[in-house]
Amino acid sequence: MSMSSGSEVDRPDGAVDDDRSPTARLRRAELRVAHLEGQVEVLQAQIAALEAADEHRRTELADARDEVAEAKAAAREAKARAEERRHLIDELREQLTDARAAGSHEGDGRGTGRGWLARRTRS
C-alpha cells in the first residue's frame, strides 16, 4: 500500500488535518460554536436562577411592606387609645382634686371627703 500524497491523516504526530485546511478550520469553528453554546446554556441557567431569586425577593419585599403598613396602623390605634386614656386619667385626676377640695370645705374640716361621698349617694 502506498502513501497517498497530500494526505495528512497518517502523520506520526496525530494531527488529522493541516491547520490551514478548510476541514481543520471548520472543525475548529464547530468546536468553538459548541463551546459558546455551552456558555450560553450556563448563562441562561444563571439568568433563570437570578430571575427566580429576584421574584422571591419581590414577594418578600411586598410582604414586608404589608407588615409595615399593618404595624403602622396598629401603632396609630395604640397611640389613639393611649391618648384617650391620658385624657380620661386627666379628667379623673381633676375630679379627684375637685372632690378633695369640696370635701375639705364641708363637714368637720379634716378633708376626709365624706361630703363628696354623701353628695354622690344622694344623687
Side-chain angles (χ1 to χ4, degrees):
M1 205 172 184
S2 69
M3 292 182 124
S4 53
S5 64
S7 174
E8 301 290 333
V9 175
D10 297 325
R11 286 177 50 183
D13 61 3
V16 175
D17 288 312
D18 184 316
D19 284 345
R20 293 169 303 210
S21 75
T23 305
R25 286 189 303 221
L26 180 60
R27 181 70 185 137
R28 280 194 312 275
E30 288 172 344
L31 290 172
R32 181 75 178 143
V33 167
H35 175 73
L36 292 173
E37 286 174 343
Q39 287 181 331
V40 167
E41 288 177 12
V42 167
L43 291 173
Q44 287 173 334
Q46 289 174 348
I47 288 170
L50 290 171
E51 286 174 344
D54 189 42
E55 183 60 30
H56 179 71
R57 286 187 187 100
R58 280 191 198 127
T59 301
E60 286 181 332
L61 181 59
D63 291 345
R65 286 180 176 153
D66 290 344
E67 288 177 20
V68 166
E70 290 173 10
K72 284 181 178 179
R76 283 191 300 272
E77 290 174 16
K79 184 177 178 180
R81 282 192 307 271
E83 189 67 22
E84 288 174 8
R85 289 179 182 148
R86 189 179 62 77
H87 287 313
L88 179 61
I89 289 169
D90 289 345
E91 240 180 73
L92 292 172
R93 282 184 179 150
E94 186 178 323
Q95 289 176 10
L96 180 60
T97 300
D98 291 347
R100 285 181 177 160
S104 68
H105 296 308
E106 291 182 8
D108 58 5
R110 289 184 293 170
T112 60
R114 289 186 185 140
W116 174 76
L117 182 59
R119 277 196 318 274
R120 187 164 184 209
T121 55
R122 278 186 259 148
S123 327

